[in-house]
Amino acid sequence: MRTLSEIEVVGVVGAGTMGSGIAQVAATAGYEVAMRDVETEYVERGLESVDDSLSRLDAKGALDEEPAAIRDRIAGTTDLADLAGADLVIEAAVEDLDVKREIFADLGGVTDDDVALATNTSTLSITAIASATDRASDVVGLHFMNPVPVMEGVEVVVGERTDPAVAEFAHAFAEDLGKTTWESDDKPGFVTNRILMPWINEGVRAYDEGVAEKRDIDRGMKLGTNAPMGPLELADHIGLDVVLDASETLHDELGDRYQPAYLLKRKVAAGELGKKSGRGFYEYE
């Protein structure tokens, strides 16, 4: 396996919110990045997101170099074969096991045998994803938090066959990006979502059952627990569809205590997905 000092090019599969954020922090740390998605439109949208994020950080004086210099390290592509020269690949595609397994099966043939393959999954089994390749020992979870350029934490998830050296490398790489890591075994939801999703769903239920107005639920949890966001505000920020998908995965694996709140399902069915759609529990411009 390649050492941290040997990593020059980082491949990112997926140019959405998480993929573009991972590409941005890797480029900011000095790595060359190849970011791939299935459609040119998605790649361009991801690059625009990077431009917007870098501009905001630059305006706050949070960058050590010009945004253009960082942006120039990121190349977009729709061809997975363009990741063949990557020294590390991080998958950040849609949270669907079949999709991820297909990507990893392809990555096993595209990349060199000494390249670590990481997945940004937030709830799915690392072991199940890794089993799609003949290199399961090279697969590890690198679960970045959203928004990636801002959030400090990265969860390293160890699958059944993950080589301890690969897990150690994952910690070192994330820390080289300026992140702080913790480690989880490959259990449903890992640390963060196993605890976070029930918290959000209980906030949704409390609002639906009339315990308090939505702003008071969020205000109570922020002031009462020192959380930076309340559950409804955070759900909007994450995306209600993403929360529902994660909750359903945990419900399937862990039982009724993880059952998604009815109002969460109803809002997703109505297309009210939170900040990204302009309306969730709150309205956004």
Side-chain angles (χ1 to χ4, degrees):
M1 191 197 71
R2 298 181 191 183
T3 63
L4 183 61
S5 63
E6 295 174 311
I7 306 302
E8 296 180 358
V9 180
V10 176
V12 177
V13 181
T17 300
M18 298 306 294
S20 62
I22 294 167
Q24 178 182 325
V25 297
T28 301
Y31 295 101
E32 297 292 326
V33 179
M35 182 176 70
R36 180 261 186 180
D37 213 314
V38 293
E39 299 286 347
T40 301
E41 174 188 355
Y42 302 155
V43 174
E44 291 176 347
R45 194 181 303 161
L47 293 173
E48 289 171 2
S49 177
V50 171
D51 287 335
D52 290 343
S53 178
L54 289 173
S55 294
R56 290 194 299 272
L57 291 171
D58 186 51
K60 297 176 182 177
L63 298 177
D64 293 332
E65 59 183 327
E66 292 297 316
I70 298 171
R71 171 63 180 78
D72 285 347
R73 296 191 194 105
I74 306 174
T77 181
T78 57
D79 190 350
L80 195 68
D82 287 340
L83 275 60
D87 302 301
L88 162 69
V89 177
I90 305 170
E91 171 273 321
V94 63
E95 192 76 345
D96 180 288
L97 182 59
D98 290 337
V99 171
K100 291 183 185 294
R101 282 175 53 82
E102 182 177 351
I103 290 170
F104 273 77
D106 291 339
L107 285 173
V110 167
T111 57
D112 291 341
D113 290 344
D114 59 350
V115 171
L117 305 176
T119 173
N120 185 60
T121 182
S122 59
T123 55
L124 299 174
S125 167
I126 308 301
T127 303
I129 294 170
S131 68
T133 79
D134 58 1
R135 294 165 47 195
S137 62
D138 295 330
V139 179
V140 66
L142 261 180
H143 178 207
F144 290 80
M145 306 295 123
N146 183 30
V148 180
V150 175
M151 297 293 284
E152 180 185 354
V154 173
E155 188 168 46
V156 174
V157 188
V158 180
E160 181 69 22
R161 294 183 59 193
T162 303
D163 189 317
V166 173
E168 184 178 346
F169 165 80
H171 282 284
F173 175 76
E175 288 163 6
D176 192 56
L177 301 185
K179 304 300 186 182
T180 300
T181 61
W182 63 93
E183 189 168 304
S184 171
D185 192 15
D186 188 17
K187 301 281 196 310
F190 318 134
V191 171
T192 48
N193 280 334
R194 186 184 181 106
I195 296 168
L196 182 62
M197 290 304 128
W199 185 76
I200 289 175
N201 274 291
E202 200 55 39
V204 175
R205 291 189 188 95
Y207 170 53
D208 196 25
E209 294 169 9
V211 172
E213 292 296 323
K214 57 189 174 186
R215 294 191 185 279
D216 283 331
I217 287 172
D218 283 338
R219 186 179 295 117
M221 293 311 297
K222 286 189 285 188
L223 295 176
T225 69
N226 206 30
M229 291 186 187
L232 306 181
E233 182 183 6
L234 181 57
D236 275 0
H237 186 80
I238 294 171
L240 272 61
D241 53 337
V242 176
V243 172
L244 179 58
D245 284 346
S247 299
E248 288 177 336
T249 297
L250 291 169
H251 182 222
D252 290 343
E253 295 286 346
L254 298 172
D256 287 346
R257 62 191 169 129
Y258 285 91
Q259 183 172 353
Y262 169 72
L263 181 57
L264 176 64
K265 295 181 180 179
R266 193 173 73 190
K267 283 194 166 291
V268 171
E272 297 180 4
L273 306 181
K275 195 171 183 180
K276 63 184 175 184
S277 69
R279 177 191 288 267
F281 290 104
Y282 300 96
E283 293 187 10
Y284 303 87
E285 304 216 354

